[in-house]
Coordinates of all heavy atoms in Angstrom, one line a residue:
M1 N 0.7 -8.7 14.2 CA 1.1 -8.4 12.8 C -0.1 -8.0 12.0 O -1.2 -8.7 12.1 CB 1.8 -9.7 12.2 CG 2.6 -9.4 11.0 SD 3.7 -10.7 10.7 CE 2.6 -12.0 10.1
L2 N 0.0 -7.0 11.2 CA -1.2 -6.5 10.6 C -0.9 -6.0 9.1 O 0.2 -5.5 8.9 CB -1.7 -5.2 11.3 CG -3.2 -5.0 11.3 CD1 -3.9 -6.0 12.3 CD2 -3.5 -3.6 11.6
K3 N -1.8 -6.3 8.2 CA -1.6 -5.9 6.8 C -1.8 -4.4 6.8 O -2.9 -3.9 7.2 CB -2.5 -6.6 5.9 CG -2.3 -6.2 4.5 CD -3.1 -7.2 3.5 CE -4.6 -6.9 3.6 NZ -5.3 -7.8 2.7
I4 N -0.9 -3.6 6.3 CA -1.0 -2.2 6.3 C -1.3 -1.6 5.0 O -1.9 -0.5 4.9 CB 0.4 -1.6 6.9 CG1 0.2 -0.2 7.3 CG2 1.5 -1.7 5.8 CD1 -0.2 0.0 8.7
H5 N -0.9 -2.3 3.9 CA -1.2 -1.8 2.6 C -1.1 -2.9 1.6 O -0.3 -3.8 1.7 CB -0.2 -0.7 2.3 CG -0.6 0.2 1.1 ND1 -1.6 1.1 1.2 CD2 -0.1 0.2 -0.2 CE1 -1.7 1.7 0.0 NE2 -0.9 1.2 -0.9
T6 N -1.9 -2.7 0.5 CA -1.7 -3.6 -0.6 C -1.9 -2.8 -1.9 O -2.7 -1.9 -2.0 CB -2.8 -4.8 -0.5 OG1 -2.6 -5.6 -1.6 CG2 -4.2 -4.3 -0.5
A7 N -1.1 -3.2 -2.9 CA -1.2 -2.5 -4.2 C -0.8 -3.4 -5.3 O 0.0 -4.3 -5.1 CB -0.3 -1.2 -4.1
D8 N -1.3 -3.1 -6.5 CA -0.9 -3.9 -7.7 C 0.4 -3.4 -8.2 O 0.6 -3.1 -9.4 CB -2.0 -3.7 -8.7 CG -1.7 -4.6 -9.9 OD1 -0.9 -5.5 -9.8 OD2 -2.3 -4.3 -11.0
D9 N 1.4 -3.2 -7.3 CA 2.6 -2.5 -7.7 C 3.7 -2.9 -6.7 O 3.8 -2.3 -5.7 CB 2.4 -1.0 -7.8 CG 3.6 -0.3 -8.3 OD1 4.7 -0.9 -8.4 OD2 3.5 0.9 -8.5
L10 N 4.5 -3.9 -7.1 CA 5.5 -4.4 -6.1 C 6.6 -3.3 -5.9 O 7.2 -3.2 -4.8 CB 6.2 -5.6 -6.7 CG 7.2 -6.3 -5.7 CD1 6.5 -6.7 -4.4 CD2 7.8 -7.6 -6.4
I11 N 6.8 -2.5 -6.9 CA 7.8 -1.4 -6.7 C 7.4 -0.4 -5.6 O 8.1 0.0 -4.8 CB 8.1 -0.7 -8.1 CG1 8.7 -1.7 -9.1 CG2 8.9 0.6 -7.9 CD1 8.7 -1.2 -10.5
L12 N 6.1 -0.1 -5.7 CA 5.5 0.8 -4.7 C 5.6 0.2 -3.3 O 6.1 0.8 -2.3 CB 4.1 1.2 -5.0 CG 3.4 2.0 -3.9 CD1 4.0 3.4 -3.8 CD2 1.9 2.1 -4.2
I13 N 5.2 -1.1 -3.2 CA 5.2 -1.8 -1.9 C 6.7 -1.8 -1.4 O 6.9 -1.6 -0.2 CB 4.6 -3.2 -2.1 CG1 3.1 -3.1 -2.4 CG2 4.9 -4.0 -0.8 CD1 2.3 -2.6 -1.2
G14 N 7.6 -2.1 -2.3 CA 9.0 -2.2 -1.9 C 9.5 -0.8 -1.4 O 10.3 -0.7 -0.4
Y15 N 9.0 0.2 -2.1 CA 9.4 1.6 -1.7 C 8.8 1.9 -0.3 O 9.5 2.4 0.5 CB 8.9 2.6 -2.8 CG 9.1 4.0 -2.4 CD1 10.4 4.6 -2.3 CD2 8.0 4.8 -2.1 CE1 10.6 5.9 -2.0 CE2 8.2 6.2 -1.8 CZ 9.4 6.7 -1.7 OH 9.6 8.0 -1.4
L16 N 7.5 1.6 -0.1 CA 6.9 1.9 1.2 C 7.6 1.1 2.3 O 7.8 1.6 3.4 CB 5.4 1.4 1.1 CG 4.5 2.3 0.3 CD1 3.1 1.7 0.2 CD2 4.5 3.8 0.8
K17 N 8.1 -0.1 2.0 CA 8.8 -0.9 3.0 C 10.1 -0.2 3.4 O 10.4 -0.1 4.6 CB 9.1 -2.3 2.4 CG 9.9 -3.2 3.4 CD 10.0 -4.6 2.8 CE 10.6 -5.6 3.7 NZ 12.1 -5.5 3.7
S18 N 10.8 0.3 2.4 CA 12.1 0.9 2.7 C 11.8 2.2 3.5 O 12.6 2.6 4.4 CB 12.9 1.2 1.4 OG 12.2 2.2 0.7
V19 N 10.7 2.9 3.2 CA 10.4 4.1 4.0 C 10.1 3.8 5.4 O 10.6 4.4 6.3 CB 9.2 4.9 3.3 CG1 8.8 6.1 4.2 CG2 9.6 5.4 1.9
L20 N 9.2 2.7 5.6 CA 8.9 2.3 6.9 C 10.1 1.9 7.7 O 10.3 2.2 8.9 CB 7.9 1.2 6.9 CG 6.5 1.5 6.4 CD1 5.5 0.3 6.5 CD2 5.9 2.7 7.2
E21 N 11.0 1.2 7.0 CA 12.2 0.7 7.7 C 13.1 1.9 8.1 O 13.8 1.9 9.2 CB 13.0 -0.3 6.8 CG 12.3 -1.6 6.8 CD 12.9 -2.6 5.8 OE1 13.6 -2.2 4.9 OE2 12.7 -3.8 6.0
S22 N 13.1 2.9 7.3 CA 13.9 4.1 7.6 C 13.3 4.8 8.9 O 13.9 5.6 9.5 CB 14.0 5.1 6.4 OG 12.8 5.7 6.3
E23 N 12.0 4.5 9.1 CA 11.3 5.1 10.3 C 11.4 4.1 11.5 O 10.7 4.2 12.5 CB 9.9 5.4 10.0 CG 9.6 6.3 8.9 CD 9.6 7.8 9.4 OE1 9.4 8.0 10.6 OE2 9.7 8.7 8.5
R24 N 12.2 3.0 11.3 CA 12.4 2.0 12.3 C 11.1 1.2 12.6 O 10.8 0.8 13.7 CB 13.0 2.5 13.6 CG 14.4 3.2 13.4 CD 15.0 3.6 14.7 NE 16.2 4.3 14.5 CZ 17.4 3.7 14.2 NH1 17.4 2.4 14.1 NH2 18.5 4.4 14.0
I25 N 10.3 1.0 11.6 CA 9.1 0.2 11.7 C 9.4 -1.1 11.0 O 9.7 -1.1 9.8 CB 7.9 0.9 11.1 CG1 7.6 2.2 11.8 CG2 6.7 0.0 11.1 CD1 6.5 3.1 11.1
E26 N 9.3 -2.2 11.8 CA 9.6 -3.5 11.2 C 8.4 -4.0 10.3 O 7.3 -4.0 10.8 CB 9.9 -4.5 12.3 CG 11.2 -4.4 12.9 CD 11.4 -5.6 13.9 OE1 11.8 -6.7 13.4 OE2 11.2 -5.4 15.1
C27 N 8.7 -4.4 9.1 CA 7.7 -4.8 8.2 C 8.2 -5.8 7.2 O 9.4 -6.0 7.0 CB 7.1 -3.6 7.5 SG 8.3 -2.6 6.6
H28 N 7.3 -6.5 6.5 CA 7.7 -7.4 5.4 C 6.7 -7.5 4.4 O 5.5 -7.1 4.6 CB 8.2 -8.7 6.0 CG 7.0 -9.7 6.3 ND1 6.2 -9.5 7.4 CD2 6.6 -10.8 5.6 CE1 5.3 -10.4 7.4 NE2 5.5 -11.2 6.3
I29 N 7.1 -8.0 3.2 CA 6.2 -8.1 2.1 C 5.7 -9.5 1.9 O 6.5 -10.5 2.0 CB 6.9 -7.6 0.8 CG1 7.3 -6.2 0.9 CG2 6.0 -7.9 -0.4 CD1 8.2 -5.7 -0.2
R30 N 4.4 -9.7 1.7 CA 3.8 -11.0 1.4 C 3.4 -11.0 -0.1 O 3.0 -9.9 -0.6 CB 2.6 -11.3 2.3 CG 3.0 -11.8 3.6 CD 1.7 -12.3 4.3 NE 2.0 -12.7 5.7 CZ 1.1 -13.1 6.5 NH1 -0.2 -13.1 6.1 NH2 1.4 -13.4 7.8
N31 N 3.3 -12.1 -0.7 CA 2.8 -12.3 -2.0 C 3.7 -11.7 -3.1 O 3.3 -11.6 -4.3 CB 1.5 -11.6 -2.2 CG 0.3 -12.4 -1.6 OD1 0.6 -13.5 -1.1 ND2 -0.9 -11.9 -1.6
E32 N 5.0 -11.3 -2.8 CA 5.8 -10.7 -3.8 C 6.1 -11.7 -4.9 O 6.5 -11.3 -6.0 CB 7.0 -10.1 -3.2 CG 8.0 -11.0 -2.5 CD 9.1 -10.3 -1.9 OE1 9.7 -9.4 -2.6 OE2 9.5 -10.5 -0.8
L33 N 6.1 -13.0 -4.6 CA 6.4 -14.0 -5.6 C 5.2 -14.5 -6.5 O 5.4 -15.2 -7.4 CB 7.1 -15.2 -5.0 CG 8.4 -14.9 -4.2 CD1 8.9 -16.2 -3.5 CD2 9.4 -14.3 -5.1
L34 N 4.0 -14.1 -6.1 CA 2.9 -14.6 -6.7 C 2.5 -13.8 -8.0 O 1.7 -14.2 -8.8 CB 1.7 -14.7 -5.8 CG 1.8 -15.7 -4.7 CD1 0.6 -15.6 -3.7 CD2 1.9 -17.1 -5.2
I35 N 3.1 -12.6 -8.1 CA 2.7 -11.7 -9.2 C 3.0 -12.4 -10.5 O 4.0 -13.0 -10.7 CB 3.5 -10.4 -9.1 CG1 2.7 -9.5 -8.1 CG2 3.8 -9.8 -10.4 CD1 2.3 -8.2 -8.7
G36 N 2.0 -12.3 -11.4 CA 2.2 -12.8 -12.7 C 1.8 -14.3 -12.9 O 1.6 -14.8 -13.9
G37 N 1.8 -15.0 -11.8 CA 1.5 -16.4 -11.8 C 0.2 -16.8 -11.2 O 0.0 -17.8 -10.6
S38 N -0.7 -15.8 -11.2 CA -1.9 -15.9 -10.4 C -2.9 -17.0 -11.0 O -3.6 -17.6 -10.2 CB -2.6 -14.6 -10.3 OG -2.8 -14.1 -11.6
G39 N -3.0 -17.2 -12.3 CA -3.9 -18.2 -12.8 C -5.4 -17.9 -12.5 O -5.9 -16.8 -12.9
E40 N -6.0 -18.7 -11.7 CA -7.4 -18.6 -11.4 C -7.7 -17.7 -10.3 O -8.9 -17.4 -10.1 CB -8.0 -20.0 -11.0 CG -7.6 -21.1 -12.0 CD -8.5 -21.2 -13.2 OE1 -9.7 -21.4 -13.0 OE2 -8.0 -21.0 -14.3
L41 N -6.8 -17.3 -9.6 CA -7.0 -16.4 -8.4 C -7.6 -15.0 -8.8 O -7.1 -14.5 -9.8 CB -5.8 -16.2 -7.6 CG -5.3 -17.4 -6.8 CD1 -3.9 -17.1 -6.2 CD2 -6.2 -17.8 -5.7
P42 N -8.5 -14.5 -8.1 CA -8.9 -13.1 -8.3 C -7.6 -12.2 -8.2 O -6.8 -12.5 -7.3 CB -9.8 -12.8 -7.2 CG -10.2 -14.1 -6.6 CD -9.1 -15.1 -6.9
P43 N -7.5 -11.2 -9.0 CA -6.3 -10.4 -9.1 C -5.8 -9.8 -7.7 O -4.7 -9.9 -7.4 CB -6.6 -9.2 -10.0 CG -7.8 -9.7 -10.8 CD -8.5 -10.7 -10.0
T44 N -6.8 -9.4 -6.9 CA -6.4 -8.8 -5.6 C -5.9 -9.8 -4.7 O -5.1 -9.4 -3.7 CB -7.6 -8.0 -5.0 OG1 -8.7 -8.9 -4.9 CG2 -8.0 -6.8 -5.8
E45 N -6.2 -11.1 -4.9 CA -5.7 -12.1 -4.0 C -4.2 -12.3 -4.1 O -3.5 -12.8 -3.2 CB -6.3 -13.5 -4.4 CG -7.8 -13.6 -4.1 CD -8.0 -13.9 -2.6 OE1 -7.4 -14.8 -2.1 OE2 -8.8 -13.2 -2.0
C46 N -3.6 -11.8 -5.2 CA -2.1 -12.0 -5.3 C -1.4 -10.7 -5.4 O -0.2 -10.7 -5.8 CB -1.8 -12.9 -6.5 SG -2.6 -12.4 -8.0
W47 N -2.0 -9.7 -5.1 CA -1.3 -8.4 -5.0 C -0.3 -8.5 -3.9 O -0.6 -9.1 -2.8 CB -2.3 -7.2 -4.7 CG -3.0 -6.8 -5.9 CD1 -3.1 -7.4 -7.1 CD2 -3.9 -5.6 -6.0 NE1 -3.9 -6.7 -8.0 CE2 -4.4 -5.6 -7.3 CE3 -4.2 -4.6 -5.1 CZ2 -5.2 -4.6 -7.7 CZ3 -5.0 -3.6 -5.5 CH2 -5.6 -3.6 -6.8
P48 N 0.9 -7.9 -4.0 CA 1.8 -7.8 -2.9 C 1.2 -7.0 -1.7 O 0.5 -6.1 -1.9 CB 3.0 -7.1 -3.5 CG 2.6 -6.4 -4.7 CD 1.4 -7.2 -5.2
E49 N 1.5 -7.5 -0.5 CA 0.9 -6.9 0.7 C 2.1 -6.5 1.6 O 3.1 -7.2 1.7 CB 0.1 -7.9 1.4 CG -1.1 -8.4 0.6 CD -1.9 -9.5 1.3 OE1 -1.3 -10.2 2.2 OE2 -3.0 -9.8 0.8
L50 N 1.9 -5.4 2.2 CA 2.9 -4.9 3.2 C 2.3 -5.1 4.6 O 1.2 -4.6 4.9 CB 3.2 -3.4 2.9 CG 4.4 -2.8 3.7 CD1 5.7 -3.6 3.4 CD2 4.5 -1.4 3.4
W51 N 3.1 -5.9 5.4 CA 2.6 -6.2 6.7 C 3.6 -5.6 7.8 O 4.8 -5.6 7.6 CB 2.6 -7.7 7.0 CG 1.5 -8.4 6.2 CD1 1.4 -8.6 4.9 CD2 0.4 -9.0 6.8 NE1 0.3 -9.3 4.6 CE2 -0.4 -9.6 5.7 CE3 -0.1 -9.2 8.1 CZ2 -1.6 -10.3 6.0 CZ3 -1.3 -9.9 8.3 CH2 -2.0 -10.4 7.3
V52 N 3.0 -5.1 8.8 CA 3.8 -4.5 9.9 C 3.8 -5.5 11.1 O 2.8 -6.1 11.4 CB 3.2 -3.2 10.4 CG1 3.8 -2.7 11.7 CG2 3.3 -2.1 9.3
W53 N 5.0 -5.7 11.6 CA 5.2 -6.8 12.6 C 4.4 -6.4 13.9 O 3.7 -7.2 14.5 CB 6.6 -7.0 13.0 CG 7.4 -7.8 12.0 CD1 8.4 -7.4 11.1 CD2 7.2 -9.2 11.7 NE1 8.8 -8.4 10.3 CE2 8.1 -9.5 10.7 CE3 6.4 -10.2 12.2 CZ2 8.2 -10.8 10.1 CZ3 6.5 -11.5 11.7 CH2 7.4 -11.8 10.7
H54 N 4.6 -5.2 14.4 CA 4.2 -4.9 15.7 C 2.9 -4.0 15.7 O 2.9 -3.0 15.0 CB 5.3 -4.1 16.5 CG 6.6 -4.9 16.6 ND1 6.7 -6.1 17.3 CD2 7.8 -4.6 16.0 CE1 7.9 -6.5 17.1 NE2 8.6 -5.7 16.4
D55 N 1.9 -4.5 16.4 CA 0.6 -3.7 16.4 C 0.8 -2.3 16.8 O 0.2 -1.3 16.4 CB -0.4 -4.4 17.3 CG -0.9 -5.7 16.7 OD1 -0.5 -6.0 15.5 OD2 -1.6 -6.4 17.3
D56 N 1.8 -2.1 17.7 CA 2.1 -0.7 18.2 C 2.5 0.2 17.1 O 2.4 1.4 17.2 CB 3.2 -0.8 19.3 CG 2.7 -1.5 20.6 OD1 1.4 -1.7 20.6 OD2 3.5 -1.8 21.4
D57 N 3.1 -0.3 16.1 CA 3.6 0.5 15.0 C 2.6 0.8 13.9 O 2.9 1.7 13.0 CB 4.8 -0.2 14.3 CG 6.1 -0.3 15.1 OD1 6.2 0.7 16.0 OD2 6.9 -1.2 15.0
V58 N 1.4 0.2 14.0 CA 0.5 0.3 12.9 C 0.0 1.7 12.6 O 0.0 2.2 11.5 CB -0.7 -0.7 13.1 CG1 -1.9 -0.3 12.2 CG2 -0.3 -2.1 13.0
Q59 N -0.3 2.4 13.7 CA -0.8 3.7 13.5 C 0.2 4.7 12.9 O 0.0 5.4 11.9 CB -1.3 4.3 14.8 CG -2.3 5.5 14.6 CD -3.0 5.8 15.9 OE1 -2.7 5.2 17.0 NE2 -4.1 6.6 15.8
R60 N 1.4 4.5 13.3 CA 2.5 5.3 12.8 C 2.8 5.0 11.3 O 3.0 5.8 10.5 CB 3.8 5.1 13.7 CG 4.8 6.2 13.5 CD 5.7 6.3 14.8 NE 6.4 5.0 15.1 CZ 7.6 4.7 14.6 NH1 8.2 5.6 13.9 NH2 8.1 3.6 14.8
A61 N 2.8 3.6 11.1 CA 3.0 3.2 9.7 C 2.0 3.7 8.8 O 2.3 4.1 7.6 CB 3.0 1.6 9.7
R62 N 0.7 3.7 9.2 CA -0.3 4.3 8.3 C -0.1 5.7 8.0 O -0.3 6.1 6.9 CB -1.7 4.1 9.0 CG -2.3 2.7 9.0 CD -3.7 2.7 9.4 NE -4.2 1.4 9.9 CZ -4.5 0.4 9.1 NH1 -4.3 0.5 7.8 NH2 -4.9 -0.7 9.6
S63 N 0.3 6.5 9.0 CA 0.5 7.9 8.7 C 1.7 8.1 7.8 O 1.7 9.0 7.0 CB 0.6 8.7 10.0 OG 1.8 8.4 10.7
V64 N 2.7 7.3 8.0 CA 3.9 7.4 7.1 C 3.5 7.1 5.7 O 3.8 7.8 4.7 CB 5.0 6.4 7.6 CG1 6.1 6.3 6.5 CG2 5.6 6.9 8.9
I65 N 2.7 6.0 5.5 CA 2.3 5.6 4.1 C 1.4 6.7 3.5 O 1.5 7.0 2.4 CB 1.6 4.2 4.2 CG1 2.6 3.2 4.4 CG2 0.8 4.0 2.9 CD1 2.1 1.8 4.6
E66 N 0.5 7.2 4.3 CA -0.4 8.2 3.8 C 0.4 9.4 3.4 O 0.2 10.0 2.3 CB -1.4 8.7 4.9 CG -2.5 9.5 4.4 CD -3.5 9.8 5.5 OE1 -3.6 9.0 6.5 OE2 -4.2 10.8 5.4
R67 N 1.4 9.8 4.1 CA 2.3 10.9 3.8 C 3.0 10.6 2.5 O 3.1 11.5 1.6 CB 3.3 11.2 4.9 CG 4.0 12.5 4.8 CD 5.0 12.6 5.9 NE 6.1 11.7 5.7 CZ 6.8 11.1 6.7 NH1 6.4 11.3 7.9 NH2 7.8 10.3 6.4
V68 N 3.5 9.4 2.3 CA 4.3 9.0 1.1 C 3.3 9.1 -0.1 O 3.7 9.6 -1.2 CB 4.9 7.6 1.3 CG1 5.4 7.1 -0.1 CG2 6.0 7.7 2.3
L69 N 2.1 8.5 0.1 CA 1.2 8.4 -1.1 C 0.7 9.8 -1.5 O 0.3 10.0 -2.6 CB 0.1 7.5 -0.7 CG 0.4 6.0 -0.5 CD1 -0.8 5.2 -0.2 CD2 1.1 5.5 -1.8
R70 N 0.7 10.7 -0.6 CA 0.2 12.1 -0.9 C 1.3 13.0 -1.4 O 1.1 14.0 -1.9 CB -0.4 12.7 0.4 CG -1.8 12.2 0.7 CD -2.2 12.8 2.0 NE -3.5 12.2 2.4 CZ -4.7 12.8 2.0 NH1 -4.6 13.9 1.3 NH2 -5.8 12.3 2.4
S71 N 2.5 12.5 -1.3 CA 3.7 13.3 -1.7 C 3.7 13.5 -3.3 O 3.5 12.5 -4.0 CB 5.0 12.6 -1.3 OG 6.0 13.1 -2.1
P72 N 3.8 14.7 -3.7 CA 3.9 14.9 -5.2 C 5.0 14.3 -5.9 O 5.1 14.1 -7.1 CB 3.9 16.5 -5.3 CG 4.3 17.0 -3.9 CD 4.0 15.9 -2.9
D73 N 6.0 13.9 -5.1 CA 7.2 13.2 -5.7 C 6.9 11.9 -6.3 O 7.6 11.3 -7.1 CB 8.3 13.0 -4.6 CG 8.8 14.4 -4.1 OD1 8.6 15.4 -4.8 OD2 9.4 14.4 -3.1
V74 N 5.8 11.3 -5.8 CA 5.5 9.9 -6.2 C 4.4 10.0 -7.3 O 3.3 9.5 -7.1 CB 5.0 9.0 -5.0 CG1 4.9 7.6 -5.4 CG2 5.9 9.2 -3.8
G75 N 4.8 10.6 -8.4 CA 3.8 10.8 -9.5 C 3.4 9.5 -10.2 O 2.3 9.5 -10.8
T76 N 4.2 8.5 -10.1 CA 3.8 7.2 -10.8 C 3.2 6.2 -9.9 O 2.9 5.1 -10.3 CB 5.1 6.6 -11.4 OG1 6.1 6.4 -10.4 CG2 5.7 7.5 -12.5
A77 N 3.0 6.6 -8.6 CA 2.5 5.6 -7.7 C 0.9 5.8 -7.6 O 0.4 6.9 -7.8 CB 3.1 5.9 -6.3
P78 N 0.3 4.7 -7.3 CA -1.2 4.9 -7.0 C -1.5 5.9 -5.9 O -0.7 6.0 -5.0 CB -1.6 3.5 -6.6 CG -0.5 2.6 -7.1 CD 0.7 3.4 -7.1
W79 N -2.6 6.5 -6.0 CA -3.0 7.4 -4.9 C -4.1 6.8 -4.1 O -4.8 5.9 -4.6 CB -3.4 8.8 -5.5 CG -4.4 8.8 -6.5 CD1 -4.2 8.6 -7.9 CD2 -5.8 9.1 -6.4 NE1 -5.4 8.7 -8.5 CE2 -6.4 9.0 -7.7 CE3 -6.6 9.5 -5.3 CZ2 -7.8 9.2 -7.9 CZ3 -8.0 9.7 -5.5 CH2 -8.5 9.6 -6.8
L80 N -4.2 7.3 -2.9 CA -5.2 6.7 -2.0 C -6.4 7.6 -1.9 O -6.3 8.8 -1.7 CB -4.5 6.6 -0.6 CG -5.0 5.5 0.3 CD1 -4.8 4.1 -0.3 CD2 -4.3 5.6 1.7
C81 N -7.6 7.0 -2.2 CA -8.8 7.7 -2.2 C -9.1 8.3 -0.8 O -9.0 7.6 0.1 CB -10.0 6.8 -2.6 SG -11.6 7.7 -2.5
P82 N -9.3 9.6 -0.8 CA -9.5 10.3 0.5 C -10.8 9.8 1.2 O -11.0 10.0 2.4 CB -9.5 11.8 0.2 CG -9.8 11.9 -1.2 CD -9.3 10.6 -1.9
R83 N -11.8 9.3 0.4 CA -13.1 9.0 1.0 C -13.1 7.5 1.4 O -13.5 7.2 2.5 CB -14.2 9.3 0.0 CG -15.6 9.3 0.6 CD -16.7 9.4 -0.4 NE -16.7 10.7 -1.0 CZ -17.5 10.9 -2.1 NH1 -18.2 10.0 -2.7 NH2 -17.5 12.1 -2.7
C84 N -12.7 6.6 0.5 CA -12.9 5.2 0.8 C -11.6 4.5 1.0 O -11.6 3.3 1.2 CB -13.8 4.5 -0.2 SG -13.0 4.3 -1.8
A85 N -10.4 5.2 0.8 CA -9.1 4.6 1.0 C -8.7 3.5 0.0 O -7.8 2.8 0.2 CB -9.0 4.1 2.5
E86 N -9.4 3.5 -1.1 CA -9.1 2.6 -2.2 C -7.8 3.1 -2.8 O -7.6 4.3 -2.9 CB -10.2 2.5 -3.2 CG -10.1 1.5 -4.2 CD -10.0 0.1 -3.6 OE1 -10.9 -0.3 -2.8 OE2 -9.1 -0.7 -3.9
S87 N -7.0 2.2 -3.3 CA -5.8 2.5 -4.0 C -6.1 2.7 -5.5 O -6.5 1.7 -6.1 CB -4.7 1.4 -3.7 OG -3.5 1.8 -4.5
I88 N -5.8 3.9 -6.0 CA -6.2 4.2 -7.4 C -4.9 4.4 -8.3 O -4.0 5.0 -7.9 CB -7.0 5.5 -7.5 CG1 -8.1 5.5 -6.4 CG2 -7.6 5.7 -8.9 CD1 -9.1 4.5 -6.5
E89 N -4.9 3.8 -9.4 CA -3.8 3.9 -10.3 C -3.6 5.4 -10.7 O -4.6 6.1 -10.9 CB -4.0 3.1 -11.6 CG -4.0 1.6 -11.4 CD -2.7 1.1 -10.9 OE1 -1.6 1.4 -11.5 OE2 -2.6 0.4 -9.8
P90 N -2.4 5.8 -10.9 CA -2.1 7.2 -11.1 C -2.7 7.8 -12.3 O -2.9 9.1 -12.4 CB -0.5 7.3 -11.2 CG -0.1 5.9 -11.5 CD -1.1 5.0 -10.9
Q91 N -3.0 7.0 -13.4 CA -3.5 7.6 -14.6 C -5.0 8.0 -14.4 O -5.6 8.7 -15.2 CB -3.4 6.7 -15.8 CG -4.1 5.4 -15.7 CD -3.3 4.2 -15.1 OE1 -2.5 4.5 -14.2 NE2 -3.6 3.0 -15.6
F92 N -5.6 7.6 -13.4 CA -7.0 7.9 -13.1 C -7.1 9.1 -12.1 O -6.3 9.2 -11.2 CB -7.8 6.7 -12.5 CG -7.8 5.5 -13.4 CD1 -7.2 4.4 -13.0 CD2 -8.4 5.6 -14.7 CE1 -7.2 3.2 -13.9 CE2 -8.4 4.5 -15.5 CZ -7.8 3.3 -15.1
T93 N -8.0 10.0 -12.4 CA -8.2 11.1 -11.5 C -9.4 11.0 -10.6 O -9.6 11.9 -9.8 CB -8.3 12.5 -12.3 OG1 -9.4 12.3 -13.3 CG2 -7.0 12.7 -13.1
A94 N -10.2 9.9 -10.8 CA -11.3 9.7 -10.0 C -11.3 8.3 -9.4 O -10.9 7.4 -10.1 CB -12.6 10.0 -10.7
C95 N -11.8 8.1 -8.3 CA -11.9 6.8 -7.6 C -12.9 5.9 -8.3 O -14.1 6.3 -8.5 CB -12.3 6.9 -6.2 SG -12.5 5.4 -5.3
W96 N -12.5 4.7 -8.8 CA -13.5 3.9 -9.4 C -14.5 3.3 -8.5 O -15.6 2.9 -8.9 CB -12.7 2.7 -10.1 CG -11.9 1.9 -9.2 CD1 -10.5 2.1 -9.0 CD2 -12.3 0.8 -8.4 NE1 -10.1 1.2 -8.1 CE2 -11.1 0.4 -7.7 CE3 -13.5 0.1 -8.2 CZ2 -11.1 -0.7 -6.8 CZ3 -13.5 -0.9 -7.3 CH2 -12.3 -1.3 -6.6
R97 N -14.3 3.4 -7.2 CA -15.2 2.8 -6.3 C -16.3 3.7 -5.8 O -17.4 3.4 -5.8 CB -14.4 2.2 -5.1 CG -15.3 1.5 -4.1 CD -14.5 1.2 -2.8 NE -14.3 -0.2 -2.7 CZ -13.6 -0.7 -1.7 NH1 -13.1 0.1 -0.8 NH2 -13.3 -2.0 -1.7
C98 N -15.8 5.0 -5.4 CA -16.8 5.9 -4.9 C -17.0 7.1 -5.7 O -17.8 8.0 -5.4 CB -16.5 6.2 -3.4 SG -15.1 7.3 -3.3
G99 N -16.1 7.3 -6.7 CA -16.3 8.5 -7.6 C -15.6 9.7 -7.1 O -15.6 10.8 -7.7
S100 N -15.0 9.7 -5.9 CA -14.2 10.8 -5.4 C -13.1 11.2 -6.3 O -12.5 10.3 -6.9 CB -13.8 10.5 -4.0 OG -13.1 11.6 -3.4
T101 N -12.8 12.4 -6.4 CA -11.7 12.9 -7.3 C -10.4 13.1 -6.6 O -10.4 13.4 -5.4 CB -12.1 14.1 -8.1 OG1 -12.5 15.1 -7.2 CG2 -13.2 13.8 -9.1
C102 N -9.3 12.9 -7.3 CA -8.0 13.1 -6.8 C -7.8 14.6 -6.5 O -8.1 15.5 -7.3 CB -6.9 12.7 -7.8 SG -5.3 12.8 -7.3
V103 N -7.2 14.9 -5.3 CA -7.0 16.3 -5.0 C -5.5 16.8 -5.3 O -4.7 16.0 -5.3 CB -7.3 16.6 -3.5 CG1 -8.8 16.7 -3.3 CG2 -6.7 15.5 -2.6
Ligands
LIG1 ZN1 -13.1 6.2 -3.2

């Protein structure tokens, strides 16, 4: 079992899960109940996480997610930095981590 994606957006994670399931990739969401009740935890510690059950599916799952995140249909979803793979909120056009710009 491997963590495939994490984002500060349960709707996006839920959407990715449904896309993966439509590709017959078994997956589940962790931390979906911790949102908003994080208290002292660092914010990223309680972001919802998408996990894939079978290691064999991981590579396929990654390419599916990459395709979804690059799709112009998902205008309100975070985009994935092409250089460092950081998840960037849609209102930003440059990566806060490495400065790479959205394409
Ligand atoms: Zn970056």
